């Protein structure tokens, strides 16, 4: 693979990871898992201010994670690619396995 292409892929990868590196943005992605929603819907569902939701959606839009579609007076946000949910789910499985191993180690140490 060409060095410039490889560098661009890693840059895009890092930018996507930065978009996912915030708990509120992960909550937003999860809330958009099944259906498109408005800022108001997301704000009410997650208990966040509309301005905060808008700020985080802006970051996710810039990084290509979500897109927006206007329907009348409403703007609906949706995931651009469903694979992002799969990736997040895999990461959650990895974390659950890590927590399980830590728990097992802690239990073994305390019983020794």
């Amino acid at each position: 693979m060409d060095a410039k292409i490889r560098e661009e892929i890693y840059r895009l990868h890092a930018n996507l990871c930065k978009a996912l590196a915030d708990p509120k943005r992960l909550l937003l992605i999860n809330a958009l898992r099944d259906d498109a929603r408005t800022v108001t819907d997301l704000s009410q569902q997650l208990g966040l201010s509309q301005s905060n939701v808008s700020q985080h959606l802006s970051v996710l839009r810039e990084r290509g994670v979500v897109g927006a579609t206007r329907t009348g007076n409403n703007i609906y946000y949706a995931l651009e690619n469903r694979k992002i949910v799969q990736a997040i789910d895999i990461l959650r499985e990895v974390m659950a396995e890590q927590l399980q191993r830590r728990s097992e180690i802690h239990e073994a140490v305390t019983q020794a």
Side-chain angles (χ1 to χ4, degrees), residues 76-95:
Y76 288 87
Y77 292 87
L79 297 173
E80 286 287 344
N81 189 321
R82 303 273 317 137
K83 290 180 183 176
I84 197 73
V85 172
Q86 294 170 338
I88 290 169
D89 288 346
I90 290 169
L91 288 171
R92 189 173 290 127
E93 289 174 18
V94 169
M95 290 180 292

Side-chain angles (χ1 to χ4, degrees), residues 42-55:
L42 292 165
S43 175
Q44 290 173 350
Q45 180 181 347
L46 301 175
L48 302 170
S49 70
Q50 286 189 9
S51 63
N52 194 246
V53 168
S54 293
Q55 290 170 346

Side-chain angles (χ1 to χ4, degrees), residues 8-112:
E8 179 65 11
I9 288 171
Y10 281 119
R11 188 187 66 73
L12 291 170
H13 188 157
N15 280 335
L16 177 59
C17 288
K18 287 178 189 176
L20 302 178
D22 185 282
K24 290 179 184 175
R25 289 195 285 270
L26 290 170
L27 285 169
L28 286 167
I29 291 168
N30 192 54
L32 294 170
R33 164 184 294 265
D34 297 319
D35 201 9
R37 302 197 186 284
T38 65
V39 170
T40 302
D41 293 339
L42 292 165
S43 175
Q44 290 173 350
Q45 180 181 347
L46 301 175
L48 302 170
S49 70
Q50 286 189 9
S51 63
N52 194 246
V53 168
S54 293
Q55 290 170 346
H56 286 293
L57 286 171
S58 176
V59 171
L60 293 172
R61 279 185 75 185
E62 288 172 11
R63 304 274 170 44
V65 177
V66 300
T69 305
R70 181 179 289 277
T71 304
N73 291 334
N74 295 314
I75 298 175
Y76 288 87
Y77 292 87
L79 297 173
E80 286 287 344
N81 189 321
R82 303 273 317 137
K83 290 180 183 176
I84 197 73
V85 172
Q86 294 170 338
I88 290 169
D89 288 346
I90 290 169
L91 288 171
R92 189 173 290 127
E93 289 174 18
V94 169
M95 290 180 292
E97 290 170 8
Q98 289 175 339
L99 288 172
Q100 180 64 35
R101 278 195 301 273
R102 286 181 187 170
S103 175
E104 290 168 359
I105 291 169
H106 177 73
E107 188 174 313
V109 168
T110 55
Q111 291 179 357

